[in-house]
């Protein structure tokens, strides 16, 4: 099981530009809203796009999904780990928790 990261820890890492955040939902979900600076990378895309989007296999990466029960973030984390990424964590909650806490999100059309 991938190590978990809390909302406060993730916010601090994002604020410090110390992590790459991976939205495991992709598509319209990513377009509508995603965590600040997040890249979109679904499980189906990991093998093809991980090396391009995440060239440093030792850099901190956090995957997230919509909520704690969504399996996508764990699936992407597992695939990244299998490819040799060494510091992959999963956001304990998900974007729903982030939004409910009043934290900023971005979309493909505007940043808020």
């Amino acid at each position: 099981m991938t190590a978990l990261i809390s909302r406060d820890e993730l916010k601090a890492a994002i604020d410090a530009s110390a992590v790459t955040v991976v939205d495991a939902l992709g598509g319209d979900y990513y377009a509508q809203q995603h965590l600040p600076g997040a890249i979109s990378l679904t499980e189906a895309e990991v093998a093809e796009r991980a090396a391009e989007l995440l060239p440093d296999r030792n850099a901190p990466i956090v995957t997230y999904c919509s909520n704690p029960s969504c399996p996508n973030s764990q699936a992407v984390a597992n695939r990244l780990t299998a490819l040799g990424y060494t510091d992959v964590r999963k956001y304990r909650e998900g974007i729903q928790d982030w939004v409910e806490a009043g934290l900023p999100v971005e979309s493909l059309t505007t940043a808020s």
Side-chain angles (χ1 to χ4, degrees):
M1 180 59 117
T2 304
L4 300 176
I5 187 170
S6 72
R7 179 181 59 229
D8 292 340
E9 293 169 320
L10 179 54
K11 181 170 182 336
I14 290 171
D15 289 348
S17 299
V19 66
T20 299
V21 181
V22 174
D23 179 306
L25 291 167
D28 289 340
Y29 295 105
Y30 177 80
Q32 290 173 7
Q33 66 179 6
H34 52 269
L35 297 187
I39 62 170
S40 176
L41 186 65
T42 64
E43 182 182 12
E45 298 169 328
V46 170
E48 293 176 11
R49 300 191 65 218
E52 165 199 347
L53 296 173
L54 305 164
D56 183 352
R57 291 180 188 245
N58 297 311
I61 299 168
V62 173
T63 64
Y64 77 91
C65 196
S66 57
N67 59 59
S69 64
C70 175
N72 297 13
S73 56
Q74 186 63 55
V76 169
N78 291 345
R79 297 285 306 269
L80 290 171
T81 300
L83 287 174
Y85 289 85
T86 61
D87 189 2
V88 180
R89 291 171 279 165
K90 177 181 170 288
Y91 176 30
R92 177 183 310 272
E93 302 302 328
I95 194 164
Q96 289 175 352
D97 170 72
W98 190 270
V99 170
E100 288 170 7
L103 296 171
V105 294
E106 297 175 348
S107 74
L108 291 184
T109 56
T110 63
S112 62

